[in-house]
Amino acid sequence: MSVRETVLPYHRPWIGEEEIAEVVETLRSGWLTMGPKTMRFEEEFARFVGARHAVAVNSCTAALALALDVLGIGPGDEVITSTMTFTATAAVVLHTGAKPVLVDCEPDTLNLDMERALAAVTPATRAIIPVHMAGHPCDMDEVRSLARRHGLAVIEDAAHALPAAYKGARIGSISDFTAFSFYAGKNMTTGEGGMVTTDNDEWAESLRTRRLHGLSRDAWARHDPRGSWRYDVTYPGYKYNMTDINAALGLHQLTRLPQMHSRRLELVERYFQLLSDVPELILPVTRPQTEPAWHLFIVKLARERLTIGRDEVIAQLRQRNICTSVTFIPLHLHSYYRDVLGLKSEDFPHASALADSIVSLPLYPRMEISDVDDVCAALAEIIEEHRR
């Protein structure tokens, strides 16, 4: 068994001296919470994705929750989304009192199966949340067509999808709302943080008010020398705002994003070069007219060709000092969603089959090409030892 000399992490963020200097300057400025840097980050992010408005928050979960709140979604309403996602996508719907309606995913992209989404529409359906799994854009033409036909709002879960594009339009510039994540493991990071984009002026104003307790004036405006201490509470809002410390990271991560994305493409190309002829592996697909963000490189094991299961493959990679992950365990297989929503595995044939066969391989800009070579060599060795 060949073993790397050092452990290859599943992910490691790329933080440069510019980010460090900006954070230090922020700490020294005395202004730590949401202020001028957050506003500058919002402006630059909106310009980058081509949206009219970008509102910075403390997580993608907060971005999704605010979008639902602004739409007034609540008890008696239904929101369609994919079972192949992280719990936050459905949990924010539950927190409004509405019902998340989970549907199966496509077997190749792992994105929302639009035929099943259409079949799931009822008179109670108010919105649809397509999830761009691994950074591969959903078929947004189909999503928008369904939404128009049934009068639904569209909230894109783009936690994986920066800087993806669909038919030349950046994700973030297409739908009613788009929610992004800047968690430590994402394509760009603010440590913790998120962003919600919209082109609707009224919705944007509501997002800004509701992210900070429903105050009529945020702290920056109230404590600016030219401002007033007076404020009004216009809505029972939330504590979802981003801080200037996080935004300081985001400003330079956003500038670095094209470079980091270019590096991801090089690593992905190497994965395809080395794994495309391995019949025991099913590699990711790229649909026409899409530009994936390549947040993840998910391979599917052809389990019928192997004498071991996915979990053992992961364990044997770890023995070789290579860390991997599973993104995601479908929601219908978690005890809460299974029991409360009364879900059965057979209702989600694609996601249920994928649950025991997908592996996310290491993919991040600080990797070397030789790291990809090590991952592929280790996978090839394991497959050779356990081929049927």
Side-chain angles (χ1 to χ4, degrees):
M1 180 174 71
S2 58
V3 181
R4 275 177 56 102
E5 291 184 4
T6 59
V7 174
L8 178 65
Y10 175 63
H11 178 78
R12 180 180 294 163
W14 187 354
I15 303 296
E17 291 302 319
E18 296 90 344
E19 287 94 326
I20 294 170
E22 192 81 39
V23 169
V24 170
E25 192 278 329
T26 304
L27 294 173
R28 287 175 173 158
S29 74
W31 193 273
L32 307 185
T33 188
M34 186 174 68
K37 289 189 178 176
T38 303
M39 296 172 192
R40 189 172 127 217
F41 181 37
E42 291 175 332
E43 292 168 1
E44 295 187 9
F45 189 88
R47 187 160 47 248
F48 183 87
V49 300
R52 184 173 174 85
H53 301 281
V55 179
V57 288
N58 57 19
S59 68
C60 185
T61 306
L64 292 167
L66 280 176
L68 291 167
D69 193 66
V70 168
L71 290 169
I73 289 173
D77 296 332
E78 294 178 351
V79 178
I80 294 171
T81 193
S82 174
T83 189
M84 186 61 82
T85 186
F86 187 57
T87 179
T89 314
V92 292
V93 178
L94 287 164
H95 290 319
T96 69
K99 177 184 177 182
V101 177
L102 305 182
V103 300
D104 204 2
C105 65
E106 298 175 331
D108 52 357
T109 66
L110 279 64
N111 284 338
L112 193 65
D113 184 319
M114 289 308 299
E115 287 189 13
R116 291 176 181 268
L118 177 60
V121 175
T122 74
T125 307
R126 290 280 312 280
I128 182 169
I129 305 178
V131 181
H132 305 298
M133 262 298 294
H136 187 290
C138 295
D139 188 328
M140 292 308 299
D141 281 353
E142 288 194 12
V143 172
R144 288 184 294 186
S145 175
L146 182 151
R148 281 195 300 268
R149 219 175 325 161
H150 296 281
L152 310 181
V154 178
I155 306 169
E156 295 177 56
D157 183 334
H160 294 177
L162 187 67
Y166 176 79
K167 291 189 173 180
R170 278 261 168 86
I171 297 299
S173 66
I174 298 171
S175 299
D176 296 314
F177 299 93
T178 306
F180 293 93
S181 173
F182 306 134
Y183 179 67
K186 295 302 191 290
N187 287 26
M188 62 164 278
T189 184
T190 60
E192 294 278 3
M195 191 79 75
V196 55
T197 61
T198 184
D199 284 346
N200 185 298
D201 296 345
E202 184 178 340
W203 286 346
E205 187 60 30
S206 292
L207 290 168
R208 293 188 179 101
T209 300
R210 297 180 189 198
R211 71 171 163 186
L212 192 61
H213 302 298
L215 302 183
S216 59
R217 295 169 62 81
D218 60 37
W220 171 247
R222 285 187 287 122
H223 296 291
D224 183 278
R226 296 160 296 179
S228 168
W229 57 268
R230 291 189 179 278
Y231 65 91
D232 184 28
V233 175
T234 61
Y235 184 84
Y238 310 90
K239 188 68 171 72
Y240 286 164
N241 62 289
M242 180 177 279
T243 74
D244 267 21
I245 297 173
N246 298 110
L249 281 169
L251 285 166
H252 292 284
Q253 285 279 290
L254 185 61
T255 300
R256 194 187 302 279
L257 183 59
Q259 178 189 4
M260 294 193 291
H261 181 60
S262 178
R263 181 58 174 171
R264 283 180 180 271
L265 295 179
E266 293 174 1
L267 298 169
V268 165
E269 182 180 4
R270 186 63 170 172
Y271 269 128
F272 275 110
Q273 287 175 354
L274 298 180
L275 298 179
S276 58
D277 293 330
V278 181
E280 291 80 10
L281 296 177
I282 302 167
L283 303 187
V285 300
T286 300
R287 292 274 178 86
Q289 297 184 295
T290 64
E291 299 172 36
W294 289 110
H295 172 55
L296 303 172
F297 193 87
I298 300 176
V299 299
K300 288 164 268 187
L301 302 177
R303 296 179 60 201
E304 70 280 2
R305 294 175 174 266
L306 297 168
T307 60
I308 60 172
R310 186 272 314 280
D311 292 1
E312 182 60 23
V313 170
I314 289 175
Q316 292 203 18
L317 285 168
R318 188 64 186 85
Q319 290 171 9
R320 291 164 169 81
N321 280 338
I322 294 169
C323 300
T324 58
S325 187
V326 175
T327 317
F328 296 105
I329 300 171
L331 294 186
H332 70 274
L333 297 179
H334 292 281
S335 58
Y336 180 87
Y337 294 101
R338 182 190 64 222
D339 297 343
V340 171
L341 298 180
L343 305 176
K344 301 187 292 292
S345 293
E346 54 265 34
D347 294 332
F348 306 88
H350 294 149
S352 296
L354 290 164
D356 293 328
S357 64
I358 55 175
V359 184
S360 297
L361 302 181
L363 177 62
Y364 49 95
R366 292 187 65 187
M367 284 178 65
E368 302 292 340
I369 294 295
S370 60
D371 293 328
V372 176
D373 294 349
D374 288 347
V375 175
C376 295
L379 261 178
E381 184 177 85
I382 294 166
I383 288 171
E384 181 62 32
E385 291 174 0
H386 300 282
R387 183 177 281 127
R388 285 192 188 276

